[in-house]
Amino acid sequence: MTFVIQQTLLYAIPLMIVALAGVFAERSGIINLALEGIMIFGAFTGVLFVNLVQQAGWFAEAKANGNWIALQGFEILALLVAALFGAIFSLLLSFAAINLKADQTIGGTALNLMAPALVLFLIRILANQSTLQMAEGDAASWFMIKKSTLGFDRTADIGILGEIFINKVYLATYICIILYIVLAILLYKTRFGLRLRSCGENPQAADSLGINVYRMRYAGTTISGALAGMGGFVYALTTANCTANGDVAGFGFLALAVMIFGNWKPGNIAGAALLFGLFKCIAASYASIDINGDGIYMLAQIGLSSNFYRMLPYLITMVVLAFTSKKSRAPKAEGIPYDKGQR
């Protein structure tokens, strides 16, 4: 059961943070369908940073000195780099949607098509192959926090909670959880959040009160890009062994489904992300899940094709959206270009 909970969190956290990215954009009035593309770009830039730092020899020096705090520092820097380039990439959508008043759906789709092509082109130039990897080792050996890292013996019994939350975990997971809570409070409990949400509901009324709608929409989309870029690197780090290949397994589109299912509210989104994360966990690890702890891998013995388990998260997505989308209430002004002269 410990394994299932840990794996569910690994899949749920990127979904949760990227779904929140969608909330920030859409609450400001911009439809951000480019979450998938921004995740791909963020994953690439984060992995590239790790690769370059490794080649500089800083990783090996930190590990040789037993300085695991420095390694975690490099992980945080990679998250920041991914967030920065995700924000920069999202400016393409902001400029098209706000300044050019282009169709936001088409703009987001264009970025989703451009991102994997651009990333694969850069990977081919930099690595002369289709996948960018770490210069040496793997994500678990460099970044994973184990109980031995914190001074516990490898065989020490630290209880179920200890095994779940401090053994074989990534610092990025907890950074995203803290960031999620802080930004949810920012969105709903601060003046900035109120102004941002007003621009997605009634931008004319917001403008009449002196709120710069264009600036707020730029802010919402830029925060959205930063979170999606960070989510892309977290996905690459925790589930793809810190590699980038122009693909994030549809997590950006799943995050959109989580956002709609969660009705654009952070609390609901967190629950929806855990649900979808559980099904992603089942899809990826069904053959090694021991439900009752009796050594019997029930899901593997049912006899269903492995392709069914791989399709399961996406099937669940369609079923859930079919039953919940009618009750979802999107921001009223999302997707509508703002015209300052219109009343």
Side-chain angles (χ1 to χ4, degrees), residues 99-124:
N99 296 82
L100 303 181
K101 294 181 171 57
D103 187 287
Q104 297 168 17
T105 302
I106 295 176
T109 303
L111 292 184
N112 283 335
L113 293 173
M114 184 177 76
L118 176 62
V119 165
L120 285 172
F121 173 72
L122 294 174
I123 290 175
R124 182 68 67 176

Side-chain angles (χ1 to χ4, degrees), residues 193-237:
L194 178 61
R195 291 182 173 186
L196 185 79
R197 287 183 289 120
S198 69
C199 292
E201 294 292 341
N202 193 329
Q204 283 77 23
D207 192 18
S208 69
L209 295 174
I211 298 172
N212 190 321
V213 176
Y214 298 130
R215 184 181 300 171
M216 295 307 295
R217 287 190 169 183
Y218 259 106
T221 311
T222 303
I223 293 172
S224 176
L227 291 176
M230 183 181 294
F233 177 68
V234 172
Y235 164 82
L237 174 69

Side-chain angles (χ1 to χ4, degrees), residues 207-337:
D207 192 18
S208 69
L209 295 174
I211 298 172
N212 190 321
V213 176
Y214 298 130
R215 184 181 300 171
M216 295 307 295
R217 287 190 169 183
Y218 259 106
T221 311
T222 303
I223 293 172
S224 176
L227 291 176
M230 183 181 294
F233 177 68
V234 172
Y235 164 82
L237 174 69
T238 59
T239 65
N241 195 25
C242 204
T243 62
N245 60 359
D247 182 36
V248 289
F251 262 58
F253 298 114
L254 277 176
L256 284 172
V258 167
M259 178 187 70
I260 296 170
F261 180 37
N263 203 19
W264 289 265
K265 296 179 180 178
N268 295 345
I269 286 172
L274 289 172
L275 175 65
F276 283 89
L278 174 61
F279 285 107
K280 283 294 290 184
C281 169
I282 292 172
S285 311
Y286 72 94
S288 57
I289 294 177
D290 182 2
I291 298 175
N292 300 322
D294 54 4
I296 299 175
Y297 303 105
M298 187 181 302
L299 295 178
Q301 295 179 2
I302 292 177
L304 294 175
S305 169
S306 60
N307 293 321
F308 171 78
Y309 290 107
R310 294 191 185 100
M311 290 190 301
L312 192 59
Y314 308 100
L315 291 174
I316 295 299
T317 299
M318 291 189 291
V319 171
V320 166
L321 288 180
F323 284 99
T324 62
S325 58
K326 289 184 179 180
K327 298 180 181 179
S328 297
R329 181 193 170 277
K332 291 180 180 178
E334 73 163 0
I336 303 174

Side-chain angles (χ1 to χ4, degrees), residues 29 58 76 80 92 130-131 141 143 187-188 210 213 243 281 295 324:
W58 298 342
I76 294 173
L80 293 176
L92 295 172
S130 59
T131 302
S141 61
F143 297 118
L187 187 60
Y188 280 91
V213 176
T243 62
C281 169
T324 62

